[in-house]
């Protein structure tokens, strides 16, 4: 039986409806200890996601380092200029008033400083902190993760409880790459979001809302399903130290796109009070969502919810949508297509072209040349 179990673990098989986020697929081997089983029997893990900033850095106005992979790049973060750390340049080799001669060695030969060609080279040169790595812990076993605790400080990690592989209906319990992209943009534009009231649709594990909570006044992180919302609430509690310096508040609430009203049943967990609904409608100026466009019916429901909420807001707002364009080979087309993305774009165009005499929506893309504050692969399909 043991041999059979070990063989099964070495060669995992997934049902056709199993969905696995690739955020964790590029991580070095570490202890994979389960935190707990959730209400439906799925294993829950706790991961530490390294940040390339800390609350102390933001408070002191220090420069933030950017991740690059084999290319020189500079970008502006707020009023700060983000430069790649050039620690591989010798002190005597820095450019000065002598120009080219500053790059010559003692014999007069030209000294070439080569750019690193891979992420491992970058790390070897000290240009990066640790790459994203799930440090998976077991409650009550402090000695099992003592080394990881020493490597991390409270201000440079986000702690997220999540699952690994799930059925399609539970994908919100995983961590997805577009959530990192949205978190990057929030940190890059933190002055824009400072003091705002924010609504996240389909918050999942809550990582984008947690990052937004470091700068915004109030964040309503919403999704559906008591088990998922409980996990999200736990993640907010795990990262309270990140949000406390800014004085922000993050509330986890239920918001079902298939229903036309907010859940106000006081007996239901994660329901809304009348005061919270009034606060949202009176003060919300930002709505955001990450990686929620994978099913056509849900996409339609999301846009209906988006229209209903924005229609009732007292002020105009900006909606930020982050997603990954996933290409699939389909038998129906006998070709590589991206039907979910195409449906999203068509629905987005319909919203922009809507003319009801009351609302006007304008759509514009955001270039992905802003600084990267979390370590992940920012692919072209984001």
């Amino acid at each position: 039986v043991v041999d059979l179990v070990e063989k099964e673990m070495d060669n995992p098989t997934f049902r056709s409806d199993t969905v696995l986020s690739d955020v964790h697929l590029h991580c070095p081997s570490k202890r994979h200890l389960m935190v707990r089983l959730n209400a439906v029997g799925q294993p829950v893990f706790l991961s530490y996601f390294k940040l390339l900033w800390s609350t102390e850095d933001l408070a002191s106005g220090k420069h933030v380092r950017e991740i690059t992979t084999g290319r020189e790049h500079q970008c502006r973060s707020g009023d700060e200029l983000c430069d790649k750390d050039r620690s591989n340049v010798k002190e005597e080799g820095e450019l000065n008033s002598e120009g080219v001669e500053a790059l010559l060695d003692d014999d007069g030969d030209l000294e070439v400083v080569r750019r690193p060609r891979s992420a491992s080279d970058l790390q070897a040169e000290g240009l990066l902190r640790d790459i994203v790595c799930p440090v998976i812990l077991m409650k009550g076993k402090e000695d099992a993760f003592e080394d990881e605790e020493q490597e991390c400080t409270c201000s440079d990690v986000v702690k997220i409880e999540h699952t690994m592989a799930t059925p399609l209906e539970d994908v919100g319990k995983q961590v997805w790459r577009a959530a990192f992209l949205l978190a990057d943009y929030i940190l890059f534009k933190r002055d824009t979001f400072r003091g705002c009231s924010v609504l996240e649709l389909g918050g999942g594990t809550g990582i984008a809302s947690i990052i937004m909570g470091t700068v915004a006044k109030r964040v309503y992180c919403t999704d559906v399903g008591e088990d998922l919302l409980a996990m999200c609430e736990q993640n907010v509690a795990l990262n309270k130290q990140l949000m406390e310096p800014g004085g922000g508040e993050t509330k986890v609430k239920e918001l079902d796109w298939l229903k036309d009203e907010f859940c106000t049943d006081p007996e239901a967990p994660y329901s809304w009070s009348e005061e919270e609904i009034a606060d949202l409608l009176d003060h919300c100026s930002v709505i955001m969502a990450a990686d929620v466009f994978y099913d056509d019916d849900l996409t339609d429901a999301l846009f209906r919810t988006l229209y209903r909420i924005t229609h009732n807001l007292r002020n105009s707002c900006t909606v930020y949508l982050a997603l990954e364009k996933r290409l699939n080979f389909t038998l129906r087309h006998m070709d590589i297509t991206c039907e979910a993305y195409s449906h999203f774009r068509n629905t987005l165009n319909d919203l922009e072209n809507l003319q009801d005499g009351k609302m006007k929506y304008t759509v514009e893309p955001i270039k992905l040349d802003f600084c990267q504050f979390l370590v992940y692969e920012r692919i072209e399909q984001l």
Side-chain angles (χ1 to χ4, degrees), residues 179-251:
F180 286 113
L181 180 71
L182 182 56
D184 271 347
Y185 189 74
I186 292 166
L187 292 172
F188 176 66
K189 288 285 195 179
R190 53 186 176 270
D191 289 340
T192 300
F193 302 114
R194 202 176 305 279
C196 289
S197 182
V198 181
L199 170 67
E200 181 174 14
L201 300 174
T205 60
I207 186 169
S209 283
I210 289 167
I211 296 300
M212 180 64 84
T214 64
V215 293
K217 178 181 179 181
R218 185 171 291 110
V219 181
Y220 291 100
C221 181
T222 69
D223 215 308
V224 66
E226 184 176 346
D227 195 53
L228 172 59
L229 293 171
M231 176 187 291
C232 184
E233 188 174 53
Q234 169 70 359
N235 287 333
V236 170
L238 286 172
N239 294 279
K240 189 175 295 184
Q241 78 285 348
L242 291 177
M243 296 175 279
E244 284 177 344
E249 179 182 25
T250 300
K251 294 186 175 186

Side-chain angles (χ1 to χ4, degrees), residues 171-184:
V171 291
K173 296 176 182 177
Q174 300 188 54
V175 182
W176 298 93
R177 193 153 34 197
F180 286 113
L181 180 71
L182 182 56
D184 271 347

Side-chain angles (χ1 to χ4, degrees), residues 29-204:
S29 299
K30 284 218 173 188
R31 287 185 288 273
H32 291 265
L33 301 179
M34 187 174 62
V35 176
R36 59 184 171 85
L37 290 177
N38 62 19
V40 294
Q42 296 167 334
V44 176
F45 304 92
L46 177 64
S47 295
Y48 283 9
F49 294 101
K50 263 302 209 179
L51 293 164
L52 296 180
W53 64 278
S54 68
T55 51
E56 288 84 357
D57 291 337
L58 293 181
S60 62
K62 290 182 179 179
H63 293 285
V64 186
R65 290 186 294 175
E66 178 209 8
I67 298 179
T68 58
T69 51
R71 63 185 179 89
E72 299 287 346
H73 184 64
Q74 291 180 339
C75 62
R76 193 163 290 277
S77 172
D79 294 329
E80 299 289 342
L81 184 64
C82 303
D83 278 316
K84 190 175 71 176
D85 184 356
R86 304 178 187 278
S87 58
N88 57 333
V89 182
K90 294 182 180 180
E91 184 175 351
E92 65 272 12
E94 294 179 355
L95 288 173
N96 55 26
S97 59
E98 296 182 4
V100 176
E101 290 187 4
L103 295 176
L104 302 181
D105 62 16
D106 295 338
D107 297 328
D109 298 321
L110 182 63
E111 192 170 81
V112 179
V113 180
R114 298 187 182 278
R115 286 179 286 180
R117 288 175 294 179
S118 68
S120 58
D121 290 333
L122 284 171
Q123 193 171 15
E125 293 291 345
L127 302 183
L128 292 180
R129 299 187 186 182
D130 296 337
I131 63 173
V132 169
C133 176
V135 180
I136 301 172
L137 318 176
M138 179 177 292
K139 290 180 179 176
K141 299 287 185 180
E142 284 79 6
D143 57 331
F145 54 92
E146 182 177 352
D147 295 339
E148 285 85 356
E149 283 285 348
Q150 293 175 355
E151 294 174 4
C152 303
T153 66
C154 292
S155 59
D156 67 356
V157 294
V158 180
K159 291 175 279 189
I160 297 293
E161 283 195 0
H162 60 93
T163 58
M164 288 287 193
T166 66
L168 186 62
E169 61 267 20
D170 283 335
V171 291
K173 296 176 182 177
Q174 300 188 54
V175 182
W176 298 93
R177 193 153 34 197
F180 286 113
L181 180 71
L182 182 56
D184 271 347
Y185 189 74
I186 292 166
L187 292 172
F188 176 66
K189 288 285 195 179
R190 53 186 176 270
D191 289 340
T192 300
F193 302 114
R194 202 176 305 279
C196 289
S197 182
V198 181
L199 170 67
E200 181 174 14
L201 300 174

